[in-house]
Amino acid sequence: HAVWCAPCKAMSPIIEQIGKEVQGKARVLKIDVDKNQHLARQFQIQGVPTFAIFQRGAIQWRHSGGMDKSSLKNMLLSFSK
């Protein structure tokens, strides 16, 4: 995410809700691409918001742009089994 990004601001409360709902099954993090430019380069983040699901340090799924809460949560839970 980025602090100047309007879609990121809109997604922020959804991300926080999902983080609470999947507690113990998955860990949800927001990473500021401006403060962590090395990670943005490493994972080739070219647009925000970008969502990624990692397992054992490798990206298993990735999506750029907004998503509805249900779709995002379902995608996350499908990888946490």
Side-chain angles (χ1 to χ4, degrees), residues 15-77:
I15 299 302
E16 290 176 22
Q17 290 171 0
I18 291 173
K20 290 176 185 173
E21 292 173 14
V22 301
Q23 202 167 25
K25 297 179 186 172
R27 191 167 52 170
V28 176
L29 306 169
K30 286 191 323 185
I31 298 173
D32 186 323
V33 295
D34 292 326
K35 292 181 180 177
N36 298 282
Q37 292 179 8
H38 65 286
L39 289 176
R41 280 190 301 277
Q42 179 181 349
F43 295 108
Q44 300 173 346
I45 305 299
Q46 296 180 358
V48 287
T50 294
F51 302 97
I53 296 175
F54 289 80
Q55 285 183 320
R56 296 171 193 80
I59 292 179
Q60 300 298 315
W61 174 86
R62 176 184 182 138
H63 174 82
S64 293
M67 286 185 76
D68 65 273
K69 179 184 175 185
S70 172
S71 297
L72 185 55
K73 183 178 175 183
N74 288 339
M75 183 59 68
L76 178 59
L77 289 175

